[in-house]
Amino acid sequence: MQIKLIDNPVKLAEFLNDPENTGNIVDSGDTYFIKPDAVYVGIYEGVMLTGVHEVRKFWHSVVECHVIYSPGFRGEYALQGHRLFCKWLLENSPFLNSITMVPDTTKYGRSFIVLLGATRIGHLDDAYISNGKSVGVTLYQLPRKKYEELVNANLSDCP
């Protein structure tokens, strides 16, 4: 498992537009919006892109982060990949807090962010339209201290 900036926009678009990876995030026939102000960090297994971490400035010292992993690389693998991302972000950004938004239709994302120790800070009804229906999102925060704890945690001690 390796982490590095994604330097191939075609490979990034292919990953983010694969419905197996994005599930309910992208409507059928639509494409993932690759944000021009975001940095895309990849988790690789050899040359295969297995996960994408999207990060951009949200407000002052707060970054907005989103993560997508291929179905075969979720669970424990994604947790280890997220630890690599946490280390990378700590080394490359002076952020104090991060925020993420998990769509109500994404059960995996909600479970994963809670596993990381994020705190639910609110909910937005009608945050976006998906397949013609409004979808809400739950907002979570993860302060820098939690990133540090996750990087330094001995996961073998966890139940």
Side-chain angles (χ1 to χ4, degrees), residues 19 35-36 71 78 85 88 122 145:
K35 296 149 194 86
F85 172 72
W88 179 90
K145 179 109 176 105

PDB file of all heavy atoms in Angstrom, residues 19 35-36 71 78 85 88 122 145:
ATOM      1  N   PRO A  19     -19.285   3.264 -11.183  1.00  0.00           N
ATOM      2  CA  PRO A  19     -20.364   3.106 -10.202  1.00  0.00           C
ATOM      3  C   PRO A  19     -20.067   2.078  -9.112  1.00  0.00           C
ATOM      4  O   PRO A  19     -20.606   2.166  -8.012  1.00  0.00           O
ATOM      5  CB  PRO A  19     -21.568   2.670 -11.031  1.00  0.00           C
ATOM      6  CG  PRO A  19     -21.169   2.709 -12.448  1.00  0.00           C
ATOM      7  CD  PRO A  19     -19.699   2.998 -12.529  1.00  0.00           C
ATOM      8  N   LYS A  35     -13.229  18.619  -8.498  1.00  0.00           N
ATOM      9  CA  LYS A  35     -13.147  20.017  -8.097  1.00  0.00           C
ATOM     10  C   LYS A  35     -11.770  20.605  -8.423  1.00  0.00           C
ATOM     11  O   LYS A  35     -10.754  20.035  -8.039  1.00  0.00           O
ATOM     12  CB  LYS A  35     -13.468  20.140  -6.606  1.00  0.00           C
ATOM     13  CG  LYS A  35     -14.910  19.729  -6.312  1.00  0.00           C
ATOM     14  CD  LYS A  35     -15.035  19.122  -4.936  1.00  0.00           C
ATOM     15  CE  LYS A  35     -16.344  18.406  -4.769  1.00  0.00           C
ATOM     16  NZ  LYS A  35     -16.312  17.018  -5.231  1.00  0.00           N
ATOM     17  N   PRO A  36     -11.745  21.725  -9.105  1.00  0.00           N
ATOM     18  CA  PRO A  36     -10.462  22.306  -9.507  1.00  0.00           C
ATOM     19  C   PRO A  36      -9.615  22.790  -8.331  1.00  0.00           C
ATOM     20  O   PRO A  36      -8.396  22.904  -8.464  1.00  0.00           O
ATOM     21  CB  PRO A  36     -10.856  23.473 -10.421  1.00  0.00           C
ATOM     22  CG  PRO A  36     -12.287  23.756 -10.117  1.00  0.00           C
ATOM     23  CD  PRO A  36     -12.884  22.488  -9.603  1.00  0.00           C
ATOM     24  N   PRO A  71     -14.735  -1.381  -3.846  1.00  0.00           N
ATOM     25  CA  PRO A  71     -15.395  -2.341  -2.956  1.00  0.00           C
ATOM     26  C   PRO A  71     -14.475  -3.417  -2.384  1.00  0.00           C
ATOM     27  O   PRO A  71     -14.605  -3.768  -1.221  1.00  0.00           O
ATOM     28  CB  PRO A  71     -16.475  -2.965  -3.839  1.00  0.00           C
ATOM     29  CG  PRO A  71     -16.746  -1.949  -4.875  1.00  0.00           C
ATOM     30  CD  PRO A  71     -15.447  -1.224  -5.104  1.00  0.00           C
ATOM     31  N   ALA A  78      -9.174  -0.075   3.976  1.00  0.00           N
ATOM     32  CA  ALA A  78      -9.486   1.353   3.913  1.00  0.00           C
ATOM     33  C   ALA A  78      -9.052   2.053   5.197  1.00  0.00           C
ATOM     34  O   ALA A  78      -8.601   3.206   5.158  1.00  0.00           O
ATOM     35  CB  ALA A  78     -10.971   1.555   3.651  1.00  0.00           C
ATOM     36  N   PHE A  85      -3.334   8.402   4.823  1.00  0.00           N
ATOM     37  CA  PHE A  85      -3.804   9.732   4.447  1.00  0.00           C
ATOM     38  C   PHE A  85      -3.680  10.705   5.620  1.00  0.00           C
ATOM     39  O   PHE A  85      -3.262  11.852   5.438  1.00  0.00           O
ATOM     40  CB  PHE A  85      -5.258   9.677   3.959  1.00  0.00           C
ATOM     41  CG  PHE A  85      -5.847  11.049   3.749  1.00  0.00           C
ATOM     42  CD1 PHE A  85      -5.447  11.829   2.673  1.00  0.00           C
ATOM     43  CD2 PHE A  85      -6.763  11.570   4.649  1.00  0.00           C
ATOM     44  CE1 PHE A  85      -5.956  13.107   2.503  1.00  0.00           C
ATOM     45  CE2 PHE A  85      -7.285  12.840   4.479  1.00  0.00           C
ATOM     46  CZ  PHE A  85      -6.880  13.611   3.400  1.00  0.00           C
ATOM     47  N   TRP A  88      -0.174  11.768   5.867  1.00  0.00           N
ATOM     48  CA  TRP A  88       0.131  12.659   4.744  1.00  0.00           C
ATOM     49  C   TRP A  88      -0.433  14.048   5.010  1.00  0.00           C
ATOM     50  O   TRP A  88       0.259  15.059   4.837  1.00  0.00           O
ATOM     51  CB  TRP A  88      -0.433  12.080   3.444  1.00  0.00           C
ATOM     52  CG  TRP A  88      -0.175  12.946   2.258  1.00  0.00           C
ATOM     53  CD1 TRP A  88       0.913  12.904   1.422  1.00  0.00           C
ATOM     54  CD2 TRP A  88      -1.001  14.019   1.775  1.00  0.00           C
ATOM     55  NE1 TRP A  88       0.809  13.880   0.463  1.00  0.00           N
ATOM     56  CE2 TRP A  88      -0.363  14.583   0.659  1.00  0.00           C
ATOM     57  CE3 TRP A  88      -2.214  14.550   2.191  1.00  0.00           C
ATOM     58  CZ2 TRP A  88      -0.896  15.648  -0.051  1.00  0.00           C
ATOM     59  CZ3 TRP A  88      -2.744  15.625   1.485  1.00  0.00           C
ATOM     60  CH2 TRP A  88      -2.093  16.155   0.374  1.00  0.00           C
ATOM     61  N   GLY A 122     -24.037  17.905  12.650  1.00  0.00           N
ATOM     62  CA  GLY A 122     -25.289  18.411  12.124  1.00  0.00           C
ATOM     63  C   GLY A 122     -25.776  17.650  10.912  1.00  0.00           C
ATOM     64  O   GLY A 122     -25.163  16.676  10.466  1.00  0.00           O
ATOM     65  N   LYS A 145      -6.222  16.648  16.308  1.00  0.00           N
ATOM     66  CA  LYS A 145      -5.833  15.729  17.385  1.00  0.00           C
ATOM     67  C   LYS A 145      -6.276  14.301  17.074  1.00  0.00           C
ATOM     68  O   LYS A 145      -5.542  13.354  17.341  1.00  0.00           O
ATOM     69  CB  LYS A 145      -6.444  16.203  18.708  1.00  0.00           C
ATOM     70  CG  LYS A 145      -6.137  15.322  19.879  1.00  0.00           C
ATOM     71  CD  LYS A 145      -5.166  16.015  20.800  1.00  0.00           C
ATOM     72  CE  LYS A 145      -4.912  15.213  22.037  1.00  0.00           C
ATOM     73  NZ  LYS A 145      -3.653  14.565  22.054  1.00  0.00           N
TER      74      LYS A 145
END
